[in-house]
Protein backbone atom coordinates (compact mmCIF):
# COMPACT_ATOMS: atom_id res chain seq x y z
CA UNK A 1 0.00 0.00 0.00
CA UNK A 2 1.45 3.41 -0.95
CA UNK A 3 2.28 5.76 1.89
CA UNK A 4 -0.05 8.70 2.47
CA UNK A 5 1.51 11.98 1.36
CA UNK A 6 2.36 14.20 4.30
CA UNK A 7 -0.03 17.00 5.13
CA UNK A 8 1.99 20.21 5.04
CA UNK A 9 0.54 23.68 4.52
CA UNK A 10 2.68 26.80 4.45
CA UNK A 11 2.45 28.98 7.56
CA UNK A 12 0.55 26.37 9.59
CA UNK A 13 2.54 24.88 12.46
CA UNK A 14 3.75 21.28 12.45
CA UNK A 15 4.49 18.86 15.27
CA UNK A 16 7.25 16.51 14.13
CA UNK A 17 8.64 13.33 15.68
CA UNK A 18 11.78 11.61 14.42
CA UNK A 19 12.81 8.38 16.12
CA UNK A 20 16.01 6.39 16.25
CA UNK A 21 16.06 3.21 14.19
CA UNK A 22 14.61 0.26 16.14
CA UNK A 23 14.17 2.63 19.10
CA UNK A 24 17.94 2.81 19.49
CA UNK A 25 19.79 5.86 20.79
CA UNK A 26 20.61 8.74 18.45
CA UNK A 27 22.37 10.91 21.05
CA UNK A 28 25.33 9.61 23.04
CA UNK A 29 27.14 12.63 24.49
CA UNK A 30 26.66 16.35 25.12
CA UNK A 31 28.49 17.22 21.91
CA UNK A 32 25.89 15.26 19.95
CA UNK A 33 23.01 17.30 21.34
CA UNK A 34 24.92 20.55 20.81
CA UNK A 35 25.80 19.66 17.23
CA UNK A 36 22.20 18.71 16.42
CA UNK A 37 20.87 22.00 17.82
CA UNK A 38 23.49 24.03 15.95
CA UNK A 39 22.58 22.41 12.64
CA UNK A 40 18.86 22.65 13.43
CA UNK A 41 19.30 26.42 13.78
CA UNK A 42 21.35 26.63 10.58
CA UNK A 43 18.99 24.62 8.40
CA UNK A 44 15.85 26.14 9.89
CA UNK A 45 17.11 29.50 8.70
CA UNK A 46 18.08 28.37 5.19
CA UNK A 47 14.95 26.21 4.73
CA UNK A 48 12.48 28.79 5.99
CA UNK A 49 11.22 27.22 9.22
CA UNK A 50 10.48 28.94 12.52
CA UNK A 51 11.25 26.70 15.51
CA UNK A 52 8.91 27.25 18.47
CA UNK A 53 9.74 24.28 20.70
CA UNK A 54 11.84 21.12 20.83
CA UNK A 55 12.96 18.30 23.03
CA UNK A 56 15.86 15.96 22.30
CA UNK A 57 15.33 12.62 24.00
CA UNK A 58 17.92 9.86 23.90
CA UNK A 59 16.26 7.98 21.06
CA UNK A 60 13.89 10.48 19.47
CA UNK A 61 13.24 14.15 18.76
CA UNK A 62 10.14 16.35 18.98
CA UNK A 63 9.94 19.64 17.07
CA UNK A 64 7.24 22.30 16.82
CA UNK A 65 7.78 24.57 13.84
CA UNK A 66 6.04 26.76 11.30
CA UNK A 67 7.25 26.24 7.71
CA UNK A 68 7.13 29.23 5.36
CA UNK A 69 6.44 26.97 2.37
CA UNK A 70 5.09 23.46 1.83
CA UNK A 71 8.62 22.17 1.16
CA UNK A 72 10.40 23.93 4.05
CA UNK A 73 9.99 21.25 6.73
CA UNK A 74 10.99 18.39 4.44
CA UNK A 75 14.04 20.30 3.26
CA UNK A 76 15.07 21.04 6.85
CA UNK A 77 14.68 17.45 8.05
CA UNK A 78 16.51 16.05 5.02
CA UNK A 79 19.52 18.32 5.38
CA UNK A 80 19.66 18.03 9.15
CA UNK A 81 19.22 14.27 9.12
CA UNK A 82 21.97 13.68 6.58
CA UNK A 83 24.42 16.02 8.29
CA UNK A 84 23.80 14.52 11.71
CA UNK A 85 24.04 10.90 10.54
CA UNK A 86 27.35 11.64 8.83
CA UNK A 87 28.61 13.21 12.06
CA UNK A 88 27.48 10.27 14.24
CA UNK A 89 28.90 7.65 11.88
CA UNK A 90 32.22 9.46 11.67
CA UNK A 91 32.44 10.17 15.41
CA UNK A 92 31.52 6.68 16.60
CA UNK A 93 32.95 4.75 13.64
CA UNK A 94 29.66 3.20 12.73
CA UNK A 95 27.78 2.69 9.45
CA UNK A 96 24.21 2.51 8.30
CA UNK A 97 21.05 4.36 9.14
CA UNK A 98 20.34 6.18 12.37
CA UNK A 99 16.72 7.26 11.96
CA UNK A 100 13.59 5.15 11.74
CA UNK A 101 12.37 5.69 8.20
CA UNK A 102 10.22 8.78 7.64
CA UNK A 103 9.60 11.34 10.32
CA UNK A 104 6.01 11.68 11.52
CA UNK A 105 4.08 14.92 11.66
CA UNK A 106 0.74 16.63 12.06
CA UNK A 107 -0.61 20.10 11.38
CA UNK A 108 -1.54 21.96 14.57
CA UNK A 109 -4.45 24.35 14.89
CA UNK A 110 -3.36 27.53 16.64
CA UNK A 111 -6.00 28.50 19.20
CA UNK A 112 -6.26 25.85 21.93
CA UNK A 113 -4.07 23.20 20.39
CA UNK A 114 -0.71 24.83 19.71
CA UNK A 115 0.31 25.67 23.27
CA UNK A 116 -1.07 22.30 24.38
CA UNK A 117 1.20 20.60 21.84
CA UNK A 118 4.11 22.76 22.95
CA UNK A 119 3.55 21.67 26.57
CA UNK A 120 3.29 18.07 25.41
CA UNK A 121 6.72 18.38 23.80
CA UNK A 122 8.45 20.05 26.75
CA UNK A 123 6.83 17.68 29.27
CA UNK A 124 8.21 14.62 27.49
CA UNK A 125 11.14 14.14 29.91
CA UNK A 126 8.71 14.37 32.84
CA UNK A 127 6.38 11.73 31.39
CA UNK A 128 9.43 9.54 30.75
CA UNK A 129 10.42 9.81 34.42
CA UNK A 130 13.79 11.39 33.63
CA UNK A 131 13.10 14.59 35.61
CA UNK A 132 10.37 15.87 37.92
CA UNK A 133 10.17 19.32 36.32
CA UNK A 134 10.75 20.29 32.66
CA UNK A 135 13.24 22.98 33.70
CA UNK A 136 15.57 20.26 34.98
CA UNK A 137 16.03 18.83 31.49
CA UNK A 138 18.82 20.49 29.55
CA UNK A 139 17.90 19.50 25.99
CA UNK A 140 14.53 21.21 25.72
CA UNK A 141 13.11 24.62 24.79
CA UNK A 142 11.39 24.94 28.17
CA UNK A 143 14.30 26.79 29.72
CA UNK A 144 13.88 29.46 27.07
CA UNK A 145 10.09 29.56 26.92
CA UNK A 146 9.48 29.18 30.65
CA UNK A 147 12.61 30.51 32.33
CA UNK A 148 14.04 33.10 29.96
CA UNK A 149 17.29 31.30 29.11
CA UNK A 150 18.71 32.88 25.96
CA UNK A 151 18.31 30.94 22.71
CA UNK A 152 18.80 32.16 19.15
CA UNK A 153 17.18 28.97 17.88
CA UNK A 154 13.66 29.64 19.18
CA UNK A 155 11.19 32.00 17.51
CA UNK A 156 8.22 32.32 19.88
CA UNK A 157 4.86 31.64 18.25
CA UNK A 158 2.40 34.53 18.12
CA UNK A 159 0.20 32.74 20.69
CA UNK A 160 3.12 32.62 23.11
CA UNK A 161 3.81 36.29 22.37
CA UNK A 162 0.23 37.14 23.29
CA UNK A 163 0.58 35.72 26.81
CA UNK A 164 1.91 39.01 28.18
CA UNK A 165 3.33 42.42 27.40
CA UNK A 166 6.85 41.73 28.71
CA UNK A 167 9.10 38.69 28.52
CA UNK A 168 8.78 38.21 32.28
CA UNK A 169 4.98 38.21 32.01
CA UNK A 170 5.01 35.74 29.13
CA UNK A 171 7.34 33.38 30.96
CA UNK A 172 5.35 33.61 34.20
CA UNK A 173 2.03 32.85 32.51
CA UNK A 174 3.65 30.10 30.46
CA UNK A 175 5.01 28.46 33.62
CA UNK A 176 1.52 28.58 35.13
CA UNK A 177 0.23 26.48 32.23
CA UNK A 178 2.48 23.66 33.42
CA UNK A 179 0.60 23.56 36.70
CA UNK A 180 -2.18 21.86 34.77
CA UNK A 181 -1.16 18.42 33.59
CA UNK A 182 -2.17 17.18 30.17
CA UNK A 183 -5.11 14.81 30.31
CA UNK A 184 -4.95 11.31 28.80
CA UNK A 185 -7.35 12.35 26.03
CA UNK A 186 -5.15 15.30 25.06
CA UNK A 187 -2.04 13.13 24.96
CA UNK A 188 -3.83 10.45 22.95
CA UNK A 189 -5.17 13.02 20.48
CA UNK A 190 -1.71 14.46 19.85
CA UNK A 191 -0.15 11.03 19.42
CA UNK A 192 -2.83 9.77 17.04
CA UNK A 193 -2.67 12.90 14.89
CA UNK A 194 1.13 12.82 14.69
CA UNK A 195 1.51 9.09 14.07
CA UNK A 196 -1.32 9.12 11.53
CA UNK A 197 -0.27 12.29 9.69
CA UNK A 198 -3.55 14.07 10.40
CA UNK A 199 -4.57 17.59 11.40
CA UNK A 200 -4.62 18.23 15.16
CA UNK A 201 -7.50 20.50 16.00
CA UNK A 202 -11.23 21.00 16.12
CA UNK A 203 -13.51 19.44 13.50
CA UNK A 204 -13.85 22.74 11.65
CA UNK A 205 -10.07 22.97 11.30
CA UNK A 206 -9.81 19.37 10.12
CA UNK A 207 -12.58 19.93 7.56
CA UNK A 208 -10.91 23.10 6.30
CA UNK A 209 -7.56 21.33 5.84
CA UNK A 210 -9.33 18.43 4.12
CA UNK A 211 -10.85 20.83 1.59
CA UNK A 212 -7.49 22.52 1.03
CA UNK A 213 -5.60 19.30 0.28
CA UNK A 214 -8.43 17.40 -1.40
CA UNK A 215 -8.40 14.42 0.96
CA UNK A 216 -9.27 13.46 4.51
CA UNK A 217 -7.12 15.11 7.19
CA UNK A 218 -8.59 13.22 10.16
CA UNK A 219 -8.82 9.56 11.21
CA UNK A 220 -11.54 7.50 9.58
CA UNK A 221 -14.00 5.41 11.54
CA UNK A 222 -12.86 1.88 12.30
CA UNK A 223 -14.72 -1.11 10.98
CA UNK A 224 -16.49 -1.85 7.71
CA UNK A 225 -18.91 0.73 6.29
CA UNK A 226 -22.56 0.11 7.03
CA UNK A 227 -24.66 -1.37 4.28
CA UNK A 228 -27.14 1.01 2.65
CA UNK A 229 -29.68 -1.81 2.20
Amino acid sequence: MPRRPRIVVSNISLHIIQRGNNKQACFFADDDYLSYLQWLKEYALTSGCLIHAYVLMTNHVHLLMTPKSSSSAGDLLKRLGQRYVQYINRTYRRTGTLWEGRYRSCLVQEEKYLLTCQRYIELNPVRAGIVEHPGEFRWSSYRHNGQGEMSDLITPHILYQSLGETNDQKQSIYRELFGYGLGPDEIDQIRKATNGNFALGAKGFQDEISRMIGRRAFPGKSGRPKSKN
Side-chain angles (χ1 to χ4, degrees), residues 29-216:
D30 286 359
D31 283 349
D32 304 341
Y33 293 96
L34 293 170
S35 296
Y36 184 95
L37 292 175
Q38 176 61 37
W39 293 324
L40 174 60
K41 179 180 69 174
E42 176 183 337
Y43 293 126
L45 180 63
T46 58
S47 300
C49 293
L50 303 178
I51 307 298
H52 309 306
Y54 69 86
V55 67
L56 309 185
M57 305 296 287
T58 303
N59 63 358
H60 68 282
V61 171
H62 288 260
L63 303 172
L64 180 64
M65 69 175 69
T66 299
K68 294 182 179 180
S69 74
S70 59
S71 62
S72 294
D75 184 50
L76 164 60
L77 269 294
K78 180 180 180 180
R79 293 186 182 188
L80 175 61
Q82 290 177 343
R83 179 83 175 267
Y84 186 71
V85 170
Q86 290 171 358
Y87 158 79
I88 288 294
N89 286 352
R90 182 176 65 251
T91 301
Y92 297 101
R93 297 183 180 181
R94 65 183 297 278
T95 59
T97 186
L98 181 69
W99 305 111
E100 178 191 72
R102 303 202 319 165
Y103 65 86
R104 304 188 180 194
S105 63
C106 69
L107 292 181
V108 183
Q109 184 181 16
E110 289 188 359
E111 290 83 19
K112 172 186 174 183
Y113 292 86
L114 188 129
L115 289 181
T116 299
C117 187
Q118 187 162 313
R119 288 162 56 213
Y120 170 84
I121 290 171
E122 293 176 348
L123 282 169
N124 206 286
V126 178
R127 287 194 302 275
I130 298 172
V131 295
E132 294 185 0
H133 186 274
E136 299 171 7
F137 191 73
R138 181 179 178 186
W139 310 111
S140 157
S141 54
Y142 178 85
R143 290 187 175 187
H144 172 78
N145 291 323
Q147 298 177 338
E149 186 175 285
M150 292 299 296
S151 171
D152 53 3
L153 167 62
I154 299 298
T155 300
H157 191 275
I158 189 172
L159 285 181
Y160 177 92
Q161 296 281 34
S162 69
L163 292 177
E165 295 182 358
T166 68
N167 287 336
D168 286 345
Q169 288 177 339
K170 295 168 190 173
Q171 293 156 19
S172 176
I173 294 172
Y174 188 71
R175 289 194 299 269
E176 290 178 8
L177 296 178
F178 285 75
Y180 306 93
L182 295 178
D185 289 345
E186 292 177 306
I187 293 174
D188 186 58
Q189 189 176 14
I190 292 171
R191 287 174 175 170
K192 283 184 177 179
T194 308
N195 289 328
N197 182 34
F198 298 119
L200 174 64
K203 186 177 185 302
F205 175 72
Q206 294 175 329
D207 290 342
E208 179 184 1
I209 297 299
S210 298
R211 288 192 294 270
M212 290 175 65
I213 65 175
R215 58 188 174 89
R216 180 167 48 82

